[in-house]
Amino acid sequence: MSDARADRTRAKLRAALLAECAERPLAAVSVAAVVRRAAVGRATFYLHYEDLQALAVDACAEVARNGVDALHAWRGTPDPAAPPPALAAFLTEVHRHAAVHRSLLLPGGGGPLGEVLHRELRERSRTERALAGAPHPDLVATAVAATFTALLADWLHALLPATPEELAGHSWRLLISLHRTPFG
């Protein structure tokens, strides 16, 4: 059972961390700055989180969930030429808050957001592929998760010039091709 007061405190801490990350990289954020912004005590912070990394992972969960849902927002046979509209919408929203996401998602896909996104996307892809009876669910799920996480990270860090719509199209075609790769 969830404690409403604890939920509110964690929400305040997540919001404070994201606000701090909009102003500076995660590595430059301190627990003191987060608790000051959240208007909670340092001891309260440690009741809920082991450290800033644990808070960052928690704060990234919703973004990761939205990304995974956007990539799976299609029905029937996926058309490589038509990415789900939810994918471009997700990328537009991520781009709108690029400073925060750059702080939490490092080039190549590392960082707290990268870890959460990779784990969530890999699990969802593996589960759906296994349910469909497709071959090598673990292998393809890992490739899909690694590819999308790295593409998103490099795009946020201006290593891949593209609009959200262009990135949606490019990444969608790559992910479809991974799913369609024949295995011997």
Side-chain angles (χ1 to χ4, degrees):
M1 179 167 257
S2 179
D3 175 0
R5 194 170 86 178
D7 291 345
R8 284 191 304 274
T9 300
R10 283 191 294 274
K12 286 170 55 174
L13 288 166
R14 287 190 301 268
L17 177 74
L18 294 175
E20 288 292 320
C21 287
E23 298 171 3
R24 66 189 58 77
L26 178 61
V29 174
S30 67
V31 170
V34 171
V35 298
R36 186 172 38 255
R37 190 179 285 253
V40 301
R42 192 176 187 91
T44 300
F45 174 89
Y46 287 108
L47 282 174
H48 297 282
Y49 297 102
E50 180 179 319
D51 54 22
L52 276 176
Q53 181 74 14
L55 171 58
V57 167
D58 188 31
C60 293
E62 183 177 358
V63 174
R65 197 170 28 258
N66 291 343
V68 171
D69 289 346
L71 283 168
H72 290 88
W74 54 272
R75 296 289 175 254
T77 303
D79 179 358
L87 182 54
F90 166 75
L91 293 171
T92 298
E93 183 62 21
V94 166
H95 190 262
R96 186 173 295 123
H97 303 286
V100 173
H101 296 101
R102 272 193 299 274
S103 180
L104 299 168
L105 181 61
L106 305 176
L113 178 54
E115 292 171 21
V116 175
L117 181 59
H118 185 277
R119 183 179 61 243
E120 298 285 328
L121 183 53
R122 184 186 184 284
E123 182 55 31
R124 176 93 166 260
S125 296
R126 188 198 64 72
T127 298
E128 290 189 6
R129 194 164 174 88
L131 286 172
H136 305 285
D138 291 324
L139 178 69
V140 174
T142 295
V144 165
T147 298
F148 184 73
T149 303
L151 286 171
L152 180 62
D154 287 358
W155 176 66
L156 282 170
H157 288 275
L159 300 173
L160 294 174
T163 66
E165 294 77 16
E166 290 169 340
L167 184 63
H170 298 318
S171 57
W172 183 247
R173 284 186 290 282
L174 278 169
L175 298 176
I176 295 297
S177 68
L178 286 171
H179 277 285
R180 292 183 175 168
T181 299
F183 293 96

